[in-house]
Amino acid sequence: MTQTTESPAASGSAAVRPPHRTPRVHRAWFVAAVTFVTIIGAAAFASLPGLLIEPLHGEFHWSRGAIGFAVSVNLALYGLTAPFAAALMDRFGIRRVVAVALSVIALGSLLTVGMTATWQLVLYWGVLVGLGSGSMALAFAATVTNRWFVARRGLVTGILTAAGASGQLIFLPLLSWLVEHHGWRPAAVTVALAALAVVPFVWLLLRDHPADVGLAPYGGEYAQKPAPVTGAARRAVTVLLKAARTGPFWLLAGTFAICGASTNGLVKTHFVPAAHDHGMPVQAAAGLLAVIGVFDVVGTIASGWFTDRFSPRRLLAVYYALRGISLLFLPMLLAPAVHPPMIFFIVFYGLDWVATVPPTIALCREHYGEDSAIVFGWVLASHQVGAALIAFAGGLARDVFGSYDVVWYASGALCAAAALMALVIRRPGARTGDAAAVPAAA
């Protein structure tokens, strides 16, 4: 859409102002930077649950099952809130939704300091932090990218996706040190302060749409800001029902469920105990997980760059195939000491950890246009469901078979299935026109 010539009488909003001369550094990059910092600040909450289990068990004598239930509620709400958060951003704006989400995370973290019963842990950490974190999920990054970028969308998606891993790398050592030397309460307060510290940046620097500042999106043409979309919850469900009638949605949801199963559900949950079963010290195994996080950042940004240049279907197929092969070899690599083949696996697997996100978002955008952020929210929900299922199944398999070997092999086979599913996702055609162009206001 070219520069508007409507008179101010047509609409009194700033959305129809003629675009300003594009600055040397486009405002979209500042918005992306604020989004990156916001996701890093919010990542503190994701670093804490695993550190809370033993301290809470030791102080309150709560069962690990009860504590784990609260974390499960958190994970479930993280996934299920995302599509509704994307719809709320369309209704109320990115700034308001993100600021409220960060405040809810801070409130939930602060309230845990005074809890005395497990139901309070479920309410404060499970429900409040789960709802807040779900609103800060990848749907936030997808919405910002869709609205502010036409060119370099894959690269920006990769950078914003990597922000979560970067935040965990920053906060995990700090929070673990706090828990070890000062107890879990200062760590919970730190999470709250990290979330609150980002709120002013969001409110002052983040803008909902390029038209708010009279600009075209980066690499695109000027477009008026669309009217707020009412009925956010209804729209999220409507978009789900509409997308569920298409084959690509189920293929994307299925591949992303396997992604969650083979990363958060399997490796993040069971790698350390599996390595310990083979005699590796817990600290050494945890250190290897941290190294995965380092290469996760590199791999995700690189994946965004590749997504701008290559078919996202083929990229997904390659990513899942390589991940499956690496998991098939892992049982042979586990040993009491860290050796070069294990280091190679950690680097290789880390590069592939969430490299699937940029091409998955790109495919959602191709098929579902302006609804793509909400559709991706539902696809992300499937990711969390897959992670939850394999986290439970992995522990059950360890109890039944006495080792994790069958879990690694089964996950490798699932990744092979995901690679095939990615290849059969068809390109959107003239039947819908969704892929002809992504609306600049999407």
Side-chain angles (χ1 to χ4, degrees), residues 39-53 74 125 129 163-176 179 187 191 268:
I39 296 174
I40 285 181
F45 68 81
S47 304
L48 191 56
L51 303 175
L52 288 178
I53 296 177
N74 179 291
W125 195 265
V129 176
S166 301
Q168 292 188 54
L169 288 173
I170 293 171
F171 284 105
L172 186 57
L174 171 63
L175 295 177
S176 61
V179 169
V191 170
K268 195 170 186 179

Side-chain angles (χ1 to χ4, degrees), residues 148-333:
W148 281 90
F149 290 85
V150 173
R152 301 290 185 266
R153 275 178 168 168
L155 175 62
V156 174
T157 300
I159 292 173
L160 296 183
T161 302
S166 301
Q168 292 188 54
L169 288 173
I170 293 171
F171 284 105
L172 186 57
L174 171 63
L175 295 177
S176 61
W177 181 85
L178 285 173
V179 169
E180 182 178 354
H181 293 88
H182 301 284
W184 62 270
R185 287 181 177 85
V189 172
T190 300
V191 170
L193 294 178
L196 287 176
V198 183
V199 173
F201 292 95
V202 170
W203 194 255
L204 295 175
L205 301 177
L206 194 63
R207 290 295 180 268
D208 295 329
H209 194 276
D212 288 340
V213 288
L215 292 175
Y218 181 81
E221 296 181 333
Y222 181 79
Q224 298 179 24
K225 182 178 180 180
V229 180
T230 58
R234 182 172 65 252
R235 185 186 175 208
V237 175
T238 301
V239 169
L240 171 63
L241 294 176
K242 181 181 177 181
R245 294 196 292 267
T246 66
F249 173 78
W250 292 107
L251 291 169
L252 288 168
T255 56
F256 222 45
I258 293 173
C259 179
S262 57
T263 53
N264 291 354
L266 179 60
V267 173
K268 195 170 186 179
T269 304
H270 295 295
F271 177 80
V272 172
H276 189 61
D277 282 348
H278 287 77
M280 183 180 294
V282 171
Q283 287 184 333
L288 290 176
L289 272 184
V291 175
I292 286 178
V294 173
F295 287 94
D296 170 26
V297 175
V298 178
T300 306
I301 295 175
S303 177
W305 187 85
F306 289 141
T307 302
D308 287 331
R309 290 159 175 80
F310 303 103
S311 165
R313 297 160 190 78
R314 294 179 180 177
L315 287 176
L316 281 181
V318 171
Y319 294 157
Y320 285 120
L322 293 176
R323 182 184 299 177
I325 292 172
S326 67
L327 290 173
L328 291 176
F329 279 98
L330 182 57
M332 295 178 279
L333 301 178

Side-chain angles (χ1 to χ4, degrees), residues 22 78 122 125 139 179 201 257 272 363 371 440:
T22 302
Y78 177 94
V122 173
W125 195 265
V179 169
F201 292 95
V272 172
L363 288 171
D371 292 331

